[in-house]
């Protein structure tokens, strides 16, 4: 299980015993530069990537899915309950939309 560091802050202390597997806290650098490390064992075992909010709210999250598809790694997305999820699922990005609001 690879929770993003800001996800861990919102969720509180994550217990490896609760999930029954090793937790690797992923900071922004790991998510952006270490996608290969996150997906390293995903072709032979289950790997989770836990985020707060929309799983496609950041381009790095979409990048993980594209890498998985490219490498033939099956994936499953479990959406949070948010109207903003439709934006990410359509391939649009929330970041440019937020800039235009100001």
């Amino acid at each position: 299980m690879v929770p993003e560091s800001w996800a861990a802050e919102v969720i509180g202390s994550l217990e490896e015993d609760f999930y029954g597997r090793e937790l690797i806290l992923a900071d922004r650098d790991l998510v952006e530069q270490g996608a290969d490390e996150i997906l390293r064992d995903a072709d032979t075992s289950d790997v989770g990537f836990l985020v707060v909010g929309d799983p496609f709210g950041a381009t790095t999250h979409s990048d993980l899915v594209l890498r998985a598809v490219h490498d033939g790694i099956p994936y499953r997305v479990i959406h949070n309950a948010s109207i903003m999820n439709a934006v990410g699922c359509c391939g649009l990005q929330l970041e440019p939309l937020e800039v235009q609001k100001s």
Side-chain angles (χ1 to χ4, degrees):
M1 179 78 68
V2 184
E4 287 183 308
S5 58
W6 52 89
E9 291 174 17
V10 172
I11 294 168
S13 65
L14 294 171
E15 300 289 331
E16 289 185 354
D17 291 339
F18 177 77
Y19 290 102
R21 58 181 54 216
E22 177 188 12
L23 297 179
I24 301 168
L25 195 58
D27 61 10
R28 186 178 188 114
D29 286 338
L30 176 58
V31 177
E32 291 180 352
Q33 306 300 322
D36 293 334
E37 181 181 343
I38 293 171
L39 295 173
R40 180 182 54 226
D41 297 324
D43 59 340
T44 58
S45 63
D46 291 335
V47 174
F49 185 71
L50 178 64
V51 300
V52 171
D54 183 357
F56 292 112
T59 55
T60 51
H61 304 162
S62 300
D63 179 61
L64 284 172
V65 170
L66 293 173
R67 288 172 185 262
V69 169
H70 179 267
D71 294 342
I73 299 170
Y75 71 93
R76 180 175 59 157
V77 176
I78 301 172
H79 292 282
N80 187 4
S82 168
I83 191 66
M84 298 305 286
N85 291 343
V87 174
C89 285
C90 295
L92 300 173
Q93 295 299 319
L94 299 174
E95 294 151 344
L97 296 176
E98 291 174 5
V99 171
Q100 292 177 5
K101 288 190 318 189
S102 345

